[in-house]
Amino acid sequence: MRPTALALLAVLAAAPLAGCGDDAKWNAVKKEAGETWDALKAYGVAQRAKAETGFAEGLASLEKGWADAKAAAAAKGEVAGQALDARWKELNEKLAALKAAGADQWATARDEFVKAYEKLKQDVAPAK
């Protein structure tokens, strides 16, 4: 089960204690739930940053084969070169969208970036 779901379940399980007012136990539960939620948010942000860094490194690695792929595309003709340029542009747009995506849209943006990356990777690989 996802950490966010576990935290939500913990908070919901503690909800019946809400009527306890200023009871010390209830205050301790609220404090603990708040700390757990903060820890989960920090973990999620760290994981997202780690993934985005990995994606940027993958793009940089792919860029190394870019010159060879461009030369091979130029030999095939202008249309092949334009298609390769379009895929490169699309990939960079997907990376920008990924970095700008909110938490609710990040998974979709990640999947779109990965698809665009795999398409371009297939185009660049034969040129190596």
Side-chain angles (χ1 to χ4, degrees), residues 9-27:
L9 285 174
V11 170
L12 290 175
L17 296 175
C20 296
D22 288 332
D23 183 19
K25 287 182 182 180
W26 173 241
N27 287 334

Side-chain angles (χ1 to χ4, degrees), residues 51-117:
E52 288 176 0
T53 298
F55 293 148
E57 289 170 359
L59 185 61
S61 172
L62 192 59
E63 190 172 20
K64 292 176 184 175
W66 182 250
D68 294 338
K70 284 290 288 180
K76 291 178 183 177
E78 185 177 332
V79 174
Q82 289 174 348
L84 197 57
D85 285 338
R87 290 220 176 153
W88 184 258
K89 182 181 177 186
E90 177 189 11
L91 183 60
N92 281 292
E93 288 171 354
K94 298 293 183 187
L95 182 59
L98 177 70
K99 290 180 178 182
D104 58 334
Q105 300 167 343
W106 193 85
T108 302
R110 177 200 60 209
D111 294 343
E112 290 177 3
F113 172 82
V114 169
K115 286 178 189 174
Y117 178 85

Side-chain angles (χ1 to χ4, degrees), residues 3 13 32 54 75:
E32 191 72 28

